[in-house]
Amino acid sequence: MQAHDLNQTSLNVVRMADSRPNYLPWGMALAVCAAAPFFIYPVFAMELMCFALFACAFNLLLGFGGLLSFGHACFFGGAAYLSGHALKVWGLTPELGILFATAGAAVLGLLIGLVAIRRQGIYFAMVTLALAQIVFFACLQLPMTGGEDGLQGIPKGRLLGLIDLSATVSIGGQQLPLALYFFVLAITFGGYWLIWRTVNSPFGVALKAIRENEARALSLGYRVDRYKLAAFVMSAALAGLAGATKALVVGLASLTDVSWHMSGEVVLMTLLGGMGTLLGPVVGAVTVVSLHHELSSLGSWVTVTIGSIFVLCVLAFRRGIVGEIAHRLKKTF
Amino acid sequence: MDQDIILETQGLGKEFRGFAAVSDVNLKVARGSIHALIGPNGAGKTTVFNLLTKFLPPTHGRVIYQGEDITALQPAEVALKGLIRSFQISAVFPNMSALDNVRVALLRVAGGSHRFWTSNRQLDAYTDRAMTLLADVGLTDFAQVLAGELAYGRKRALEIATTLALEPKLMLLDEPTQGMGIEDVDRVTALIRRVAEGRTILMVEHNLKVVATLADKITVLARGQVLSEGNYATVSQDPRVMEAYMGVSADEATELEGAHHG
Ligand SMILES: Nc1ncnc2c1ncn2[C@@H]1O[C@H](COP(=O)(O)OP(=O)(O)OP(=O)(O)O)[C@@H](O)[C@H]1O
Ligand SMILES: [Mg+2]
């Protein structure tokens, strides 16, 4: 009798959520992004993608690892400088320059992670902030970073030494940098796919267990610190990938990208969109960057306005935009 | 080294800012036995567990497990050696289903939990084993319920199932029947007896009826020190033990505990 019941239940057992890619939303997102440069300013669209990837990378750590870093700008901005230097001074091809910068961000992530990972809660946030400030001052003082001016005029170069990324295609009287655009699109989707894969992997399950109850995970024999460190390094590397790509897009690596404002901004994007959801940070990043863009005429009032919107959003739906929708529809995104 | 002793402590002590929560505890847990650690509230039982599983570093003394000094190890390393604990405050992964709570333990045993590049469908392979474990603790019907939404007694049962998933050699249970109704207590008592086959159990338990039924040996702790040791008959006749239990007889103490937890 019992054996029978058992089989019944195991047949009905729901598989792990989201274990299989649902190709429809991926296809739709790809279609929308592929069409975007024909409707909105391509450089702006590329910036949106870079910030979306940055926020997703941050969310991997906060939403799925349960760790609040207040220094993620140092990976984003640090990698921007690294790729800028590699492209401009060493003359590397763009894919190699970005790869180099991403690896650099991963190493930086490992160093900072090793120091920070044993702290809990607010102490973790403070350690990451303090170490990120050191990176900021390094970027301000080092001779090769261009100080207050930043690294300007970063060349786009030739992808794989073949495809000129600065080339534009003339469509309907507009000059569209399509080669660059689709390169950035590929990077963004690649990064996003890696995050999706990680969240829905055995590692993702272990990470979730650790976030839910660290002591219990430890008592089950999970070496908790290693998992957290791995998540931290991965998050740093992907944030670096986003920053390096952004430097290529705008041809500039500046202090803005490594400053603590940027670290705060990515927290805001993630919380606004909905932390712990895969789509939330994308929505948050698009919202925040668009608002900056739209409200730029307001000058320093931008910060106040965005701050107020953030406060209102958090009060109205504390799960974030996507988190709230998902909650209402009882689905995960 | 005595082959029949799976776990031994030598002069184990822990001070919290000068306050000796545990002092000079010399425990010997016989392989294959059910050993109970009892004592009044605040006696230091949970602290002993924390010392054994490395959740706290001891101030004094050594812990020897299977002939090896494990005093300097990390909690996860101790767990990998088959010494698995449960917690007094029920410890589950609240936003995961009961099934996933057990599967994540099975994942750790099977290995591969570092893989971020493969699908979590790997866990589907552990479903049958997990369902068997859930059935063992009477949670078959709750497999899909989020652990955080389970009733208290069921959370404890889930915790035992999760611990069993690791095939522990030595299982440390901190008040496994606390907060359970009579039926659940009986079921968990039977379960502990069943799973004790082929392994050793060290348990903290307030319910003296459970202790009387299960324990081969009892160590009574009071104010951080071992007060008495022996089987139930010996310990329950020990006047010092009765005094420690608020000056009442062991039988009355059983009733008191029953009333307290019922
Ligand atoms: N982390 C800590 N810091 C300071 N004091 C502590 C700490 N942990 C335990 N204690 C103290 O040590 C003593 C023993 O506590 P412990 O939790 O081990 O008792 P217990 O026997 O498990 O009690 P109970 O039956 O209530 O679970 C108590 O006086 C407690 O206040
Ligand atoms: Mg206790």
Side-chain angles (χ1 to χ4, degrees), chain B residues 160-219:
Chain B
I160 294 178
T162 310
T163 306
L164 282 172
L166 301 177
E167 299 285 347
K169 293 197 185 85
L170 172 58
M171 224 169 138
L172 305 187
L173 302 174
D174 199 345
E175 304 202 23
T177 69
Q178 192 195 45
M180 287 186 182
I182 308 265
E183 284 159 48
D184 283 340
V185 170
D186 287 346
R187 205 184 50 234
V188 168
T189 308
L191 172 68
I192 292 173
R193 176 169 298 278
R194 192 146 37 92
V195 302
E197 304 255 324
R199 57 173 61 95
T200 314
I201 292 176
L202 176 61
M203 62 192 289
V204 170
E205 185 55 68
H206 267 306
N207 187 328
L208 294 183
K209 214 173 109 200
V210 175
V211 173
T213 329
L214 286 177
D216 301 307
K217 190 176 174 188
I218 299 164
T219 301

Side-chain angles (χ1 to χ4, degrees), chain A residues 153-218:
Chain A
I154 298 168
K156 308 247 183 302
R158 288 174 170 273
L159 182 61
L160 303 167
L162 300 170
I163 306 160
D164 184 1
L165 289 183
S166 58
T168 54
V169 181
S170 179
I171 294 176
Q174 274 185 299
Q175 297 294 320
L176 302 179
L178 289 186
L180 180 65
Y181 184 85
F182 283 99
F183 179 52
V184 173
L185 183 70
I187 290 176
T188 309
F189 270 73
Y192 191 78
W193 179 85
L194 185 63
I195 292 169
W196 172 85
R197 175 74 287 164
T198 304
V199 168
N200 294 297
S201 69
F203 175 80
V205 175
L207 203 59
K208 176 166 188 189
I210 291 168
R211 187 184 75 220
E212 294 256 297
N213 191 333
E214 187 172 331
R216 184 53 174 159
L218 202 58

Side-chain angles (χ1 to χ4, degrees), chain B residues 45-46 88 174-175:
Chain B
K45 307 177 294 290
T46 299
Q88 180 168 3
D174 199 345
E175 304 202 23

Side-chain angles (χ1 to χ4, degrees), chain A residues 2 5-7 9-21 118 193-227 230 234, chain B residues 55 74-77 79-80 83-87 90-96 99-101 103-105 107-108 112-124 127-128 131-132 135-136 140 143-144 158-160 162-163 166:
Chain A
Q2 201 175 30
D5 282 345
L6 211 69
N7 286 335
T9 319
S10 25
L11 285 179
N12 296 334
V13 161
V14 182
R15 290 175 176 275
M16 299 294 302
D18 293 335
S19 58
R20 220 181 282 262
R118 283 168 193 274
W193 179 85
L194 185 63
I195 292 169
W196 172 85
R197 175 74 287 164
T198 304
V199 168
N200 294 297
S201 69
F203 175 80
V205 175
L207 203 59
K208 176 166 188 189
I210 291 168
R211 187 184 75 220
E212 294 256 297
N213 191 333
E214 187 172 331
R216 184 53 174 159
L218 202 58
S219 79
L220 294 179
Y222 280 108
R223 293 174 200 265
V224 168
D225 286 348
R226 291 190 193 179
Y227 289 82
M234 196 179 277
Chain B
F55 275 74
Q74 294 295 310
E77 293 171 329
L80 293 173
L83 198 165
I84 314 284
R85 72 175 296 181
S86 74
F87 292 83
S90 99
V92 293
F93 304 117
N95 289 310
M96 294 166 84
L99 177 66
D100 282 348
N101 267 260
R103 287 202 291 195
V104 81
L107 171 68
R108 213 283 287 141
S113 54
H114 59 283
R115 287 198 203 120
F116 62 85
W117 58 91
T118 61
S119 167
N120 59 12
R121 263 173 292 162
Q122 180 185 343
L123 274 84
D124 291 342
T127 304
D128 286 347
M131 288 307 297
T132 312
D136 272 349
T140 305
Q144 298 302 336
L158 175 60
E159 218 187 322
I160 294 178
T162 310
T163 306
L166 301 177

Side-chain angles (χ1 to χ4, degrees), chain A residues 104-172:
Chain A
V107 171
L108 190 60
L110 182 66
L111 295 176
I112 293 183
L114 280 172
V115 180
I117 219 76
R118 283 168 193 274
R119 324 276 156 193
Q120 305 281 339
I122 194 71
Y123 297 103
F124 177 83
M126 277 160 59
V127 170
T128 50
L129 176 61
L131 295 174
Q133 282 307 97
I134 295 178
V135 174
F136 175 84
F137 283 113
C139 291
L140 181 63
Q141 300 295 343
L142 286 177
M144 62 270 266
T145 53
E148 301 274 358
D149 301 331
L151 265 183
Q152 298 185 355
I154 298 168
K156 308 247 183 302
R158 288 174 170 273
L159 182 61
L160 303 167
L162 300 170
I163 306 160
D164 184 1
L165 289 183
S166 58
T168 54
V169 181
S170 179
I171 294 176

